[in-house]
């Protein structure tokens, strides 16, 4: 009923930049918060950045000053601009949508996840 599709991952050298996008589709009326999570090799999934409907943001300490999250509510899309990438940023990045109001059934969905996009930082 609700699908999240990420794009923009890839291979980049240390110090480089990437921009991830996540578009939500389906019978969506509104989405509360959207965010990016990542799971590195042998690690648990962790929050990278999150943005509310009103634009309030929070970031993991490890990415503050390097990553910027933004969203376009009209396009149901969230972005993650990643600068000064480091090898330790290598992970599968997942998009998450929270508090989804839908025209379909059910009318409220607690959360939805994308399928993930690989980001590899290596020389």
């Amino acid at each position: 009923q609700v699908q999240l599709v990420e794009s923009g991952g890839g291979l980049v050298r240390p110090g480089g930049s990437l921009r991830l996008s996540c578009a939500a589709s389906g019978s969506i009326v509104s989405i509360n918060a959207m965010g990016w999570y990542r799971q590195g090799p042998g690690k648990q999934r962790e929050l990278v950045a999150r943005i509310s409907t009103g634009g309030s943001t929070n970031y993991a300490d490890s990415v503050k000053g390097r990553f910027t999250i933004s969203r376009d509510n009209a396009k149901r899309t969230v972005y993650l601009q990643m600068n000064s990438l480091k090898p330790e940023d290598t992970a599968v990045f997942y998009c998450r949508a929270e508090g989804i109001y839908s025209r379909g059934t059910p009318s409220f969905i607690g959360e939805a996840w994308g399928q993930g996009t690989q980001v590899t930082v290596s020389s």
Side-chain angles (χ1 to χ4, degrees):
Q1 183 177 7
V2 175
Q3 296 84 37
L4 301 178
V5 178
E6 301 107 332
S7 61
L11 172 65
V12 64
R13 295 181 183 275
S17 298
L18 281 175
R19 188 189 193 212
L20 305 183
S21 299
C22 171
S25 63
S27 302
I28 300 170
V29 175
S30 63
I31 302 172
N32 287 343
M34 299 187 77
W36 289 95
Y37 293 71
R38 67 185 178 186
Q39 187 165 14
K43 298 181 180 179
Q44 291 187 329
R45 191 174 298 188
E46 62 176 1
L47 171 69
V48 176
R50 182 178 180 272
I51 185 168
S52 70
T53 303
S56 297
T57 59
N58 59 290
Y59 296 89
D61 288 342
S62 59
V63 307
K64 284 180 180 177
R66 300 188 298 124
F67 291 9
T68 302
I69 189 170
S70 61
R71 67 187 284 179
D72 184 329
N73 291 328
K75 294 182 178 179
R76 308 270 193 255
T77 300
V78 64
Y79 306 95
L80 186 68
Q81 178 66 43
M82 304 187 292
N83 299 326
S84 303
L85 282 160
K86 305 175 181 180
E88 51 264 43
D89 293 317
T90 295
V92 178
F93 281 69
Y94 297 91
C95 174
R96 179 188 182 211
E98 304 172 45
I100 306 163
Y101 287 90
S102 170
R103 296 183 183 88
T105 301
S107 60
F108 181 80
I109 301 169
E111 66 174 12
W113 289 87
Q115 80 288 351
T117 184
Q118 177 70 47
V119 171
T120 302
V121 184
S122 175
S123 55

